[in-house]
Amino acid sequence: MPDLIRPLTYVALRLPSDSLLVLEVVPNTTISIGKYGSFQANHIIGRPFHLTFEILDKTDESTRSSVRIVPAAELYADVVESGDASSLDLDNGSTVDRQDGVEYEVVGQDGEVVLRTNQNIIDDSGTQAMTMDEIEALKIEGSGSGKDLIAKILESHSGLDQKTAFALAKYTLRKAKKYMKRFTALPLDVSTLTKWILLEKEPMKIMELREEMIALIGSWANIHYAAPDQAHEGLGNSGTGRWVMIDETGGLLVAAVAERMGLLDNLEASDQEPEIKGPSSNWAEPSQAKGCPGSGDNQGKPHSAVQQRAAHQKSKALSNHNTITLIHANAQPNLSLLRYFNFDASNPASLHSMQRHLKTLSWLQLLSPEDDNGYAEPEVVSEDILQSWKGGKRSNYYRKRRRWERIKSIVDETREGGFDGLIIASVMNLTTILHHAVPLLRGGAQVVIYSSTVEPLVELSDYYSTARRTAFVTSLPDLQSLPTDDFPVNPTLLLAPTIQTVRCKSWQVLPGRTHPHMTGRGGSEGYLFTATRVLPAEGKIEARGKFKRRKTAGRDDTPPPESSKVKTETTN
């Protein structure tokens, strides 16, 4: 995550009302934040994140608003002063006692202190002497970035001296959130983007995923960065951080997985990557892979345009570790939310790190690749014919070959399987998804499924239950006949199915006033289905061995002695 605000990137602005505003910082433009004012984007470019800026009012010398950085001493001045000062002096001469944040009214005969409350205070519109027209006029004048306006509102309040310290602090904070012209610049990560969509946008587009649920998904799926040399022996690329996903949240879940794997940053450390065999290496244009015909001197120049184009083609080669394979049901995957992280899936010329580590394919390419036009190999043209073509037609030919090799490489690798985990967030029938996706996993891989309602997950839990697995092993149906009515999926492939949920509630923690916030948003609860991929034994399971009878109390299990033969003599 970058430390400075860079141009042409998305940032999150936290406004005084505690709401979020996500926008792109475009140089030489004006950024408007609604009723709080506007400022120039160049004033925050190059500044560190987590700073609080204050919008200054226009002056006679300047026709545009400027910003200043609010120091920490000014931000927390009220907190520091509340611990030292025992009273609050207002401009009208009134004093409000706030010693230690507790105020007392009377002391009983036995010395018991009675706490002063707002029980007998009637707070109506008559206590505020200023009208809305006067307040709007002061806002138009714009002096002190809202501080003078708040001071005059407090001064004109007739019942301010009757408020307790806690009530006065709440009233002052409420006015500051409404009139202060300040904002805090925050880096846009997955957690901040999720909060913004849930509170300000349409949460149904992300299936009402909450940040704690996203964290639980990443934990159960064991998402992490895997070194290329951590592959399991004899299992090919298994164990090198390869996850398969079905994501219908607009790319939010893909972004969360990429963030945990360290792939969401735009900087690509290609010099630390091992040599990767990608589809673009075989069908790079001769002018890109080698020097131009007749000019072999270009091959030795480290900064020539020829080598730069060849390096660009190499940077687009697919990686074989720390990859995300996304299976989608449309012609193109829905990854619209990845644009907030400067990744465009429709732009193959992008140098984003996700370009090499994100692989997409459709269900048609996975189940029946021969019916997909992209999987069919284009016609191979001889070198003599290629030399007779124009440059544009030749470039188009190489582009088609590279696109075909990329699709073929992704489809063949996915059908080969060996993935380290499966993550699903979809409204499709989960049974049909698992029937085709679970066999792609290696042994010990984790399966994590998110659903906004619990009913589809309860149905899955029944399909992988112990009773159904026992019936499957006993009857041993033909695997080629699956799915059937009794066995929609193979219940022996997943072990320990579990359904769980999590929700973090915010609390107000104050002396004598600790309670959960009662204004939390509703919506779907959201549930997770987790299970572990196992490799069942082939054939019918039989128990064999030598068993001995156990001795029980009061019973002699000693075998009787062998009876002797009785000889009978016959006399004549």
Side-chain angles (χ1 to χ4, degrees):
M1 189 64 66
D3 298 330
L4 302 178
I5 301 175
R6 298 183 295 187
L8 301 178
T9 58
Y10 284 87
V11 298
L13 302 183
R14 186 173 61 204
L15 304 180
S17 59
D18 290 335
S19 60
L20 294 174
L21 178 62
V22 176
L23 47 84
E24 185 179 11
V25 181
V26 181
N28 304 322
T29 59
T30 301
I31 298 176
S32 176
I33 54 176
K35 65 178 182 180
Y36 299 104
S38 59
F39 59 94
Q40 298 297 313
N42 295 347
H43 292 164
I44 64 173
I45 293 178
R47 302 291 182 92
F49 283 106
H50 304 286
L51 290 181
T52 299
F53 299 89
E54 184 176 88
I55 301 177
L56 301 179
D57 300 316
K58 300 178 182 179
T59 60
D60 297 336
E61 299 178 357
S62 176
T63 59
R64 296 181 179 179
S65 301
S66 59
V67 297
R68 74 176 184 95
I69 299 176
V70 182
E74 183 178 346
L75 283 175
Y76 303 103
D78 297 338
V79 179
V80 176
E81 291 177 2
S82 63
D84 301 334
S86 59
S87 62
L88 176 63
D89 299 330
L90 301 178
D91 295 340
N92 59 0
S94 60
T95 303
V96 178
D97 184 21
R98 61 178 186 184
Q99 186 175 9
D100 293 334
V102 180
E103 299 178 5
Y104 305 100
E105 190 175 34
V106 294
V107 178
Q109 295 180 357
D110 55 351
E112 181 183 0
V113 178
V114 180
L115 178 66
R116 191 176 75 180
T117 64
N118 294 335
Q119 183 177 1
N120 299 324
I121 299 177
I122 300 177
D123 194 1
D124 55 7
S125 58
T127 58
Q128 180 57 253
M130 295 183 64
T131 63
M132 287 301 300
D133 295 337
E134 295 175 349
I135 293 177
E136 291 296 331
L138 291 175
K139 289 173 60 178
I140 294 175
E141 293 179 3
S143 59
S145 298
K147 290 181 291 187
D148 295 344
L149 176 59
I150 296 174
K152 291 181 180 180
I153 292 176
L154 294 177
E155 182 181 353
S156 60
H157 197 287
S158 59
L160 200 64
D161 55 342
Q162 302 176 5
K163 292 182 178 293
T164 63
F166 180 67
L168 177 61
K170 287 180 63 177
Y171 183 79
T172 306
L173 180 61
R174 187 165 64 248
K175 298 304 176 183
K177 289 182 177 180
K178 190 174 182 180
Y179 298 111
M180 287 296 291
K181 298 181 179 180
R182 291 179 177 178
F183 65 91
T184 303
L186 303 175
L188 186 60
D189 52 10
V190 175
S191 176
T192 305
L193 182 62
T194 304
K195 291 180 181 177
W196 178 62
I197 297 176
L198 285 176
L199 300 178
E200 307 294 338
K201 293 297 181 179
E202 300 179 13
M204 290 302 298
K205 290 187 176 181
I206 60 172
M207 300 179 64
E208 300 190 75
L209 265 174
R210 302 184 303 275
E211 55 178 334
E212 60 267 23
M213 188 64 71
I214 294 178
L216 190 63
I217 291 174
S219 177
W220 274 105
N222 193 23
I223 304 299
H224 62 282
Y225 177 85
D229 56 353
Q230 292 182 356
H232 297 296
E233 184 178 356
L235 296 179
N237 292 331
S238 299
T240 56
R242 299 168 61 243
W243 278 267
V244 58
M245 299 182 61
I246 295 94
D247 181 13
E248 295 184 7
T249 63
L252 180 65
L253 208 53
V254 173
V257 173
E259 186 180 49
R260 293 178 70 99
M261 297 173 65
L263 304 177
L264 208 56
D265 194 2
N266 193 18
L267 300 178
E268 174 73 16
S270 58
D271 53 342
Q272 299 178 1
E273 298 281 352
E275 185 178 356
I276 298 170
K277 297 180 180 180
S280 61
S281 60
N282 296 334
W283 290 96
E285 297 185 41
S287 59
Q288 298 175 359
K290 303 178 182 180
C292 296
S295 56
D297 298 338
N298 291 334
Q299 301 180 12
K301 297 180 180 180
H303 300 289
S304 64
V306 174
Q307 292 191 356
Q308 289 180 3
R309 288 194 299 268
H312 176 69
Q313 291 294 334
K314 182 180 178 181
S315 65
K316 295 191 298 182
L318 294 175
S319 177
N320 55 6
H321 66 281
N322 294 309
T323 59
I324 302 173
T325 302
L326 178 65
I327 306 176
H328 56 89
N330 303 317
Q332 296 293 333
N334 181 12
L335 300 174
S336 58
L337 294 181
L338 290 183
R339 65 185 177 91
Y340 292 106
F341 304 101
N342 299 323
F343 174 71
D344 186 6
S346 61
N347 182 18
S350 174
L351 293 179
H352 199 283
S353 57
M354 290 282 289
Q355 192 67 36
R356 300 177 54 246
H357 297 270
L358 178 61
K359 306 177 181 181
T360 62
L361 74 159
S362 64
W363 283 106
L364 177 63
Q365 293 173 341
L366 175 66
L367 303 181
S368 182
E370 61 276 359
D371 295 333
D372 182 69
N373 295 329
Y375 191 79
E377 182 180 2
E379 180 184 359
V380 179
V381 180
S382 63
E383 207 52 48
D384 297 335
I385 299 178
L386 281 176
Q387 295 299 328
S388 63
W389 286 356
K390 294 183 179 180
K393 188 176 181 179
R394 187 167 52 249
S395 299
N396 188 27
Y397 169 78
Y398 285 116
R399 183 167 59 252
K400 288 182 179 180
R401 297 294 303 187
R402 289 193 298 267
R403 179 177 177 273
W404 166 74
E405 283 205 352
R406 180 184 178 91
I407 294 176
K408 188 177 186 302
S409 174
I410 294 175
V411 173
D412 294 345
E413 179 185 345
T414 305
R415 291 171 62 88
E416 184 180 353
F419 288 95
D420 299 322
L422 171 64
I423 304 174
I424 300 175
S426 174
V427 296
M428 296 174 57
N429 189 349
L430 299 178
T431 304
T432 58
I433 293 178
L434 293 182
H435 177 68
H436 299 287
V438 170
L440 301 177
L441 305 179
R442 65 172 177 86
Q446 295 296 318
V447 177
V448 181
I449 305 175
Y450 169 80
S451 176
S452 56
T453 56
V454 72
E455 287 78 10
L457 303 185
V458 172
E459 184 180 3
L460 278 183
S461 181
D462 174 62
Y463 291 154
Y464 289 101
S465 61
T466 304
R468 197 174 292 263
R469 184 165 54 251
T470 303
F472 184 86
V473 174
T474 304
S475 60
L476 198 62
D478 185 11
L479 297 180
Q480 301 297 331
S481 62
L482 297 180
T484 61
D485 295 338
D486 295 333
F487 304 105
V489 292
N490 188 347
T492 63
L493 298 183
L494 293 183
L495 191 65
T498 307
I499 299 177
Q500 55 189 304
T501 185
V502 62
R503 179 182 285 271
C504 296
K505 298 182 179 180
S506 58
W507 285 62
Q508 172 185 284
V509 182
L510 291 172
R513 295 180 293 272
T514 299
H515 61 80
H517 288 161
M518 308 303 293
T519 58
R521 67 174 301 274
S524 302
E525 183 70 18
Y527 299 88
L528 280 187
F529 172 91
T530 59
T532 304
R533 170 77 159 98
V534 293
L535 303 177
E538 297 181 358
K540 191 174 182 180
I541 301 177
E542 297 180 357
R544 296 170 179 252
K546 296 181 179 180
F547 302 95
K548 295 182 180 180
R549 296 180 59 185
R550 299 177 58 187
K551 294 182 179 180
T552 57
R555 180 179 176 182
D556 188 8
D557 293 337
T558 305
E562 184 178 359
S563 57
S564 58
K565 297 181 180 180
V566 180
K567 297 182 179 180
T568 304
E569 295 181 358
T570 303
T571 58
N572 296 328

